[in-house]
Amino acid sequence: MQQLQPDDVVWRNARLATMDPDQTAPYGIMEECALVVRGQHILAVVPEAELPPAHRNIVDLEGRLVTPGLIDCHTHLVFGGDRASEWEQRLNGVSYKTIGERGGGINATVTATRSSTPEALLALAQQRLQRLMSEGVTTIEIKSGYGLNAEAETKMLQVAQRLARNNPVEVCPTLLAAHAVPGEYRHDPDAYLTLVCEEILPALWQEGLFEAVDVFCENVGFTPAQTERLFQAATARGIPVKGHVEQLSNLGGAALVSRYSGLSADHIEYLDDVGVRAMAQHGTVAVLLPGAFYFLQERQRPPVEALRKRGVPMAVATDYNPGTSPFASLHLAMNMACVQFGLTPEEAWAGVTRHAARALGRGATHGQLKAGFVADFIVWDAQHPVEMVYEPGRNPLHQRVFRGTKA
């Protein structure tokens, strides 16, 4: 370890669940070790016995558990209105088609989002973000996709920027203008995709409003051919891509995302072995979204065992959104991933730390307690990481540290 500088901070007397795969213990647990933080990064992870006898900046954690900050790598946090009444209608036997014909579904959220002021959207999103931060989230992806025109998509991404400025959290903004075909283009979806590829995407990229492009490739969304058009437009500008794919059917979307070296393929309930092999070959992360699976009462589960066999990293996220996953709890998503999809608790933890980081293009800097990584970590009144998965209604968070500073 380098010689300590006066402003370095030593976080000692802790049980570290590093989530470092190079460690042999489950969860990368290291006993009787300390975190040494310099500025916004971890300088070293060292045994207590190697600490200098005297240093002015020492935080005694009194034997508590420390983990990396949680990463929610798939959310739709910014939107207007809600869809609670639609959910009640569905439970009372009204079909999704009928609800859509009455102006419900995603079009209802688009209408509410377009008509909302930036301040109103910010206030609602702040409440949702606060709930996630209170559970230990330090990095979050926020998608657009409820605007479906240049003005409203810009508004959503600007709200995401303001959330990042106003809170101790890292926001990863994603352009999801290809979330659905807006009503004004329902008879000409190709024309809408042209608008996205030739106007919305380049303009908002030039403004620095997003860092990746997403698309809903599905039989109720965009075709594989249309998806490839979008990917070509994005990659021509050096923009990373990802996709909502294989949620309701198998259109080969995951293989398409992988062919473009996509960051992640998300949902993937109907993923086949061809898609699994493509993801393994190209390093595309599988993002599992058990909240939507639960809320929609789906039966087709993601092929977890095939993903394990091929070594595809599996991330876990909330998919927080008004229509299919209104759950601002990453602890709950972890529990659901274990109960519904068969992940182990350690896999669920990897899914909200190092694998989620990789799904956001941050695998070399986030999601582990390791020298050189960003100093985002959580101190828990807990002995073992399984506690947060086992009992999602209890939140033992003691201290949240963001970029080396108590937050």
Side-chain angles (χ1 to χ4, degrees):
M1 186 184 72
Q2 301 177 37
Q3 185 173 357
L4 293 185
Q5 297 178 359
D7 290 336
D8 294 342
V9 182
V10 177
W11 301 75
R12 65 166 299 272
N13 192 10
R15 189 170 197 237
L16 306 181
T18 66
M19 298 312 300
D20 179 356
D22 294 333
Q23 299 295 326
T24 56
Y27 304 90
I29 285 181
M30 300 177 67
E31 306 280 3
E32 298 181 356
C33 286
L35 282 176
V36 181
V37 174
R38 175 170 294 172
Q40 297 186 1
H41 292 81
I42 297 171
L43 177 67
V45 180
V46 298
E48 289 272 352
E50 295 181 12
L51 289 174
H55 184 69
R56 72 177 191 180
N57 286 329
I58 295 179
V59 181
D60 187 346
L61 296 178
E62 302 177 333
R64 293 183 173 90
L65 178 71
V66 179
T67 71
L70 276 58
I71 300 171
D72 195 349
C73 65
H74 183 130
T75 84
H76 305 254
L77 203 70
V78 177
F79 59 86
D82 66 55
R83 307 251 284 279
S85 63
E86 290 183 21
W87 181 62
E88 183 176 28
Q89 290 176 60
R90 289 206 306 271
L91 293 179
N92 287 332
V94 181
S95 71
Y96 188 80
K97 179 181 179 182
T98 300
I99 292 172
E101 290 171 347
R102 295 173 179 173
I106 189 173
N107 287 324
T109 302
V110 171
T111 298
T113 302
R114 286 180 175 181
S115 62
S116 295
T117 65
E119 290 70 27
L121 291 175
L122 179 66
L124 289 171
Q126 178 64 49
Q127 295 173 18
R128 300 161 190 151
L129 178 60
Q130 193 63 49
R131 288 154 63 190
L132 289 163
M133 288 170 44
S134 72
E135 284 195 346
V137 170
T138 54
T139 302
I140 184 169
E141 188 231 29
I142 298 178
K143 302 178 190 294
S144 67
Y146 290 120
L148 307 186
N149 62 31
E151 179 183 3
E153 291 288 300
T154 300
K155 177 171 63 175
M156 292 182 70
L157 291 169
Q158 288 175 337
V159 168
Q161 276 190 336
R162 292 173 68 180
L163 288 169
R165 289 197 298 267
N166 296 346
N167 294 277
V169 68
E170 184 165 341
V171 172
C172 313
T174 295
L175 179 68
L176 182 57
H179 192 191
V181 178
E184 60 269 28
Y185 283 92
R186 64 184 178 275
H187 299 302
D188 196 354
D190 285 326
Y192 175 64
L193 195 65
T194 297
L195 175 70
V196 173
C197 292
E198 297 183 4
E199 297 184 32
I200 296 176
L201 183 152
L204 274 57
W205 177 249
Q206 187 172 8
E207 291 183 37
L209 287 176
F210 66 92
E211 60 183 50
V213 168
D214 199 351
V215 57
F216 186 33
C217 179
E218 191 50 81
N219 51 29
V220 293
F222 294 88
T223 67
Q226 291 168 331
T227 297
E228 187 156 24
R229 277 187 62 198
L230 179 67
F231 286 174
Q232 288 172 347
T235 56
R237 292 173 171 81
I239 306 171
V241 300
K242 58 181 69 176
H244 287 60
V245 295
E246 270 77 89
Q247 181 182 10
L248 307 173
S249 62
N250 183 6
L251 298 183
L256 178 59
V257 171
S258 301
R259 194 159 68 244
Y260 281 83
S261 300
L263 293 171
S264 67
D266 302 30
H267 286 288
I268 59 170
E269 282 89 336
Y270 286 81
L271 180 67
D272 61 12
D273 196 55
V274 172
V276 173
R277 290 199 306 270
M279 293 174 68
Q281 178 183 353
H282 294 280
T284 297
V285 176
V287 177
L288 307 182
L289 304 171
F293 178 91
Y294 161 83
F295 200 70
L296 294 173
Q297 301 181 69
E298 295 289 349
R299 295 292 179 266
Q300 178 82 19
R301 291 175 171 81
V304 167
E305 188 54 44
L307 293 165
R308 278 196 193 112
K309 180 180 177 181
R310 298 282 182 184
V312 177
M314 292 180 285
V316 176
T318 63
D319 190 21
Y320 185 88
N321 75 79
T324 64
S325 189
F327 307 117
S329 172
L330 199 51
H331 295 191
L332 180 59
M334 295 163 74
N335 178 277
M336 288 180 172
C338 294
V339 173
Q340 297 187 126
F341 293 165
L343 267 64
T344 67
E346 185 176 4
E347 286 175 327
W349 264 100
V352 300
T353 54
R354 67 173 184 267
H355 294 332
R358 185 169 168 181
L360 297 177
R362 288 163 166 77
T365 55
H366 292 65
Q368 298 179 50
L369 302 180
K370 194 172 185 177
F373 278 58
V374 172
D376 293 346
F377 55 90
I378 308 299
V379 182
W380 308 93
D381 281 319
Q383 288 298 306
H384 196 279
V386 74
E387 295 176 40
M388 282 66 83
V389 184
Y390 159 73
E391 191 178 358
R394 182 178 75 89
N395 183 7
L397 187 147
H398 173 76
Q399 182 68 64
R400 186 176 178 278
V401 178
F402 177 69
R403 295 181 183 171
T405 301
K406 295 179 182 180

